[in-house]
């Protein structure tokens, strides 16, 4: 399992040991200075992350290759963007966040309200939404770090708002259909909380045009893992935590709908397993039926 701590890229092996796999180039800043964003692991074992206005690939031997962007030079949120551009000289906003890899190897990138496809040294604009003006200035419409892309090219964009309502998650289909809000029922089976009250902490594609959501009740204490797919929503897991302590004494398998500790904020899915990690001192592995 790979993690991006913001300063390091870390591999957690099956033996429970951690290894720093950040990589660095001669003369470049060390990992603690890099401000890494996003993390995509490709089929060849290399990783893709955002760093200082660039999208970089880190090979298994630690060698870095710049895939797109100009180091230290950023585009403002309100600047116009082309429909297509050479990747090497492009200016991203800060930060730039790789979301995932499509089946053909195309890297999908989120960049200040814009979504790009990176392939063959070129960037192609998939979607863009204007920034939102606030008292502090302009803000991106989406929380790139919480967003996701599925291998079938469907992009799920989490709202950058307080609270980040689940009903405001935007779906950008990969087949050319118009973007639309995530389709949800007003009430989810097995839950007393109305759907309109749920926030989206993070998203992960299920490999089959659906999405797993790490959700929370924005009015009361409560966290949930939901699976949105095929026109329905399934409750996968929920927590019964009542204390704010970040520690968790569970060291054996327990029922996913009766987990006694708080859920970590991040979510990932692979081959019948949902993983929760981040903002807690533990990582959770939830066994689920593989998406079809």
């Amino acid at each position: 399992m790979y993690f991006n701590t913001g300063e390091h890229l870390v591999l957690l092996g099956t033996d429970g040991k951690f290894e720093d796999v950040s990589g660095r180039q001669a003369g470049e800043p060390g990992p603690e200075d890099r401000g890494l964003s996003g993390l995509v692991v490709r089929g060849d074992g290399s990783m893709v992350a955002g760093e200082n206005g660039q999208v970089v690939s880190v090979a298994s031997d630690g060698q870095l290759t710049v895939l797109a962007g100009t180091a230290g030079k950023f585009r403002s949120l309100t600047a116009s963007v082309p429909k297509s551009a050479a990747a090497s000289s492009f200016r991203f906003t800060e930060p730039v966040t790789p979301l995932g890899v499509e089946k053909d190897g195309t890297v999908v990138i989120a960049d200040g309200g814009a979504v790009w496809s990176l392939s063959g040294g070129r960037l192609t604009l998939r979607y863009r939404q204007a920034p939102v003006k606030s008292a502090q200035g302009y803000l991106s419409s989406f929380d790139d770090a919480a967003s996701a892309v599925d291998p079938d090219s469907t992009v799920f964009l989490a709202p950058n708002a307080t609270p980040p309502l689940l009903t405001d998650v935007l779906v950008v289909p990969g087949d050319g259909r118009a973007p639309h809000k995530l389709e949800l029922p007003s009430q989810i089976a097995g839950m007393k909380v109305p759907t309109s009250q749920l926030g989206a902490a993070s998203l992960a594609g299920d490999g089959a045009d659906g999405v797993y959501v790490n959700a929370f009740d924005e009015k009361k204490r409560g966290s949930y893992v939901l699976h949105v797919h095929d026109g329905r929503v399934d409750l996968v897991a929920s927590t019964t935590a009542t204390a704010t302590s970040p520690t968790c004494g569970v060291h054996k398998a327990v029922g996913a709908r009766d987990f006694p500790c708080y859920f970590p904020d991040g979510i990932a899915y692979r081959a019948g397993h949902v993983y929760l990690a981040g903002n807690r001192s533990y990582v959770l592995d939830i066994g689920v039926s593989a998406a079809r």
Side-chain angles (χ1 to χ4, degrees), residues 22-49:
S22 300
R24 65 180 296 181
Q25 294 170 311
E28 292 293 319
E32 66 275 7
D33 302 317
R34 292 166 63 180
L36 297 166
S37 59
L39 177 59
V40 173
V41 182
R42 297 192 285 188
D44 61 0
S46 64
M47 297 169 289
V48 180

Side-chain angles (χ1 to χ4, degrees), residues 231-285:
R232 68 178 191 268
V233 182
D234 298 328
L235 174 61
V236 175
S238 58
T239 174
T240 57
T242 57
T244 59
S245 171
T247 61
C248 185
V250 176
H251 300 289
K252 61 181 181 180
V254 297
R257 293 194 183 186
D258 298 295
F259 191 68
C261 310
Y262 281 108
F263 287 155
D265 285 347
I267 189 169
Y269 169 80
R270 181 175 174 84
H273 292 263
V274 172
Y275 300 96
L276 303 182
N279 201 40
R280 298 288 171 185
S281 60
Y282 42 88
V283 177
L284 303 183
D285 175 357

Side-chain angles (χ1 to χ4, degrees), residues 46-249:
S46 64
M47 297 169 289
V48 180
E51 176 190 358
N52 191 31
Q54 295 182 308
V55 177
V56 300
S57 174
V58 184
S60 55
D61 61 1
Q63 181 64 39
L64 281 100
T65 303
V66 176
L67 302 179
T70 305
K73 297 182 179 180
F74 304 102
R75 185 186 80 250
S76 72
L77 284 172
T78 56
S80 61
V81 295
K83 293 184 177 180
S84 181
S88 60
S89 58
F90 192 73
R91 292 191 180 190
F92 292 108
T93 58
E94 186 181 17
V96 53
T97 305
L99 296 182
V101 179
E102 298 175 346
K103 292 177 181 178
D104 64 357
T106 296
V107 179
V108 180
I109 300 165
D111 160 46
V115 178
W116 304 90
S117 295
L118 171 60
S119 180
R122 291 199 67 82
L123 291 161
T124 302
L125 185 65
R126 290 272 302 274
Y127 179 78
R128 193 194 187 196
Q129 185 163 309
V132 178
K133 191 172 184 179
S134 70
Q136 292 74 36
Y138 284 97
L139 300 173
S140 172
S141 305
F142 305 112
D143 181 354
D144 297 343
S147 300
V149 64
D150 216 33
D152 71 350
S153 306
T154 301
V155 180
F156 301 92
L157 296 172
N160 184 19
T162 305
L165 292 176
L166 179 59
T167 51
D168 286 336
V169 170
L170 187 71
V171 181
V172 183
D175 57 8
R177 287 180 296 151
H180 57 84
K181 294 288 182 69
L182 195 63
E183 297 177 1
L184 300 162
S186 59
Q187 194 75 38
I188 298 169
M191 295 179 61
K192 297 180 180 180
V193 180
T195 305
S196 60
Q197 198 169 298
L198 294 174
S202 54
L203 308 169
D206 70 356
D209 202 28
V211 63
Y212 284 97
V213 183
N214 192 343
F216 62 93
D217 182 349
E218 63 98 2
K219 291 186 178 181
K220 298 180 181 179
R221 181 175 292 152
S223 296
Y224 313 90
V225 175
L226 308 175
H227 187 201
V228 185
H229 64 112
D230 302 322
R232 68 178 191 268
V233 182
D234 298 328
L235 174 61
V236 175
S238 58
T239 174
T240 57
T242 57
T244 59
S245 171
T247 61
C248 185

